[in-house]
Amino acid sequence: MQDQPLAFPESEPFEVPVNWNTSKRHQDRVVVAGRGPKPADIMFLASGTLEEEVVEEEHGMHGAIFRRKPAFLKGPHGVELKDMCMSVGISVDSEVYYTALCKWLLGRDRNLNPKAGDIQPGLACCRREIKEVAPKIIVAFGKAAFEFLVPIRFKFGDAIGMWFWSEEFQCRVMPMSSQYYVAAKPEWMERYRMDMAQVKKLSDELKGIAVERVPLHYRTVTCAAELRQLVQDIMPFTLYCPDCEWHGKNHAAGKLRSLQIGWQPG
């Protein structure tokens, strides 16, 4: 009689349970649970999870091992994000619900930019979270989070900092680059801060807090006569705010492409 090969049961496909609410291991992976108040007017939805957020233990001196509970916003990147939000008046710990499409690590090459197949195991859980939190505003960190909320084909770099509407979740969406870059690229900090200030401003408006709006008026100079007239009109003012756009490596070798001048509100 010929020997038959041993049959091993196939491993179950990875899936995050819909009601996942505790950070722990699931099917040999660390799966991090969302955190924050429910309901909440503001929700942060990251595309992926950072390595520092799934750490379960740390090694100290003399071989000491310290247990750590996995959690979102744990580590230097989370601290930088919370500090940046606090600088514009948003307290992440008390006002924001934070979660991610991929609540587990995918690998260094995909954690910040997961593909459609990568996020599939966590979609049901994420939809449940959004329904429970009922946010009025969702900040989408990364392309995957943005396209999940607003399923339109739009160049992500052009979408950053703009407002969109999520038909499925009936809320406003502000796309931003991955939360990882708040700490990893300090030169981007001011852009993050400006966009997050818009989130704070709209949140206040939705709460009924009066926000003064200054009407904006633009003048375009296209010829010498218009330039002379502009100079004449702004001469009575004493405070000016110029903004120059350059082309080239520096001010000496480059060329001035455009010049914007502000001299009074609006």
Side-chain angles (χ1 to χ4, degrees), residues 55-180:
V55 172
E56 296 178 286
E57 60 181 35
E58 289 184 342
H59 296 266
M61 297 179 61
H62 311 296
I65 299 177
F66 303 93
R67 298 290 299 175
R68 289 185 56 183
K69 186 175 181 60
F72 285 126
L73 301 175
K74 181 178 67 175
H77 294 86
V79 171
E80 285 288 346
L81 177 61
K82 289 194 284 187
D83 286 349
M84 182 272 293
C85 291
M86 185 60 73
S87 71
V88 300
I90 298 176
S91 173
V92 173
D93 290 330
S94 61
E95 299 180 60
V96 177
Y97 185 89
Y98 187 103
T99 190
L101 283 178
C102 293
K103 298 172 170 60
W104 61 96
L105 287 184
L106 295 168
R108 291 189 177 182
D109 59 333
R110 305 203 316 277
N111 283 332
L112 303 184
N113 189 27
K115 306 304 180 185
D118 296 327
I119 67 176
Q120 197 64 37
L123 292 186
C125 179
C126 190
R127 284 190 166 92
R128 186 267 306 169
E129 288 179 288
I130 297 176
K131 182 178 180 181
E132 290 182 357
V133 175
K136 297 176 181 177
I137 299 171
I138 299 181
V139 176
F141 289 110
K143 181 180 178 181
F146 171 62
E147 292 185 349
F148 167 70
L149 298 167
V150 185
I152 61 174
R153 287 295 172 261
F154 202 91
K155 186 177 179 181
F156 183 66
D158 295 338
I160 292 175
M162 298 174 60
W163 284 111
F164 294 84
W165 177 256
S166 174
E167 194 65 36
E168 178 178 358
F169 301 109
Q170 294 293 293
C171 66
R172 294 163 177 83
V173 177
M174 167 69 79
M176 297 187 190
S177 298
S178 169
Q179 74 281 10
Y180 171 80

Side-chain angles (χ1 to χ4, degrees), residues 206-219:
L206 295 175
K207 293 176 183 176
I209 300 175
V211 179
E212 181 181 0
R213 290 188 176 272
V214 178
L216 301 178
H217 303 281
Y218 296 92
R219 290 175 59 176

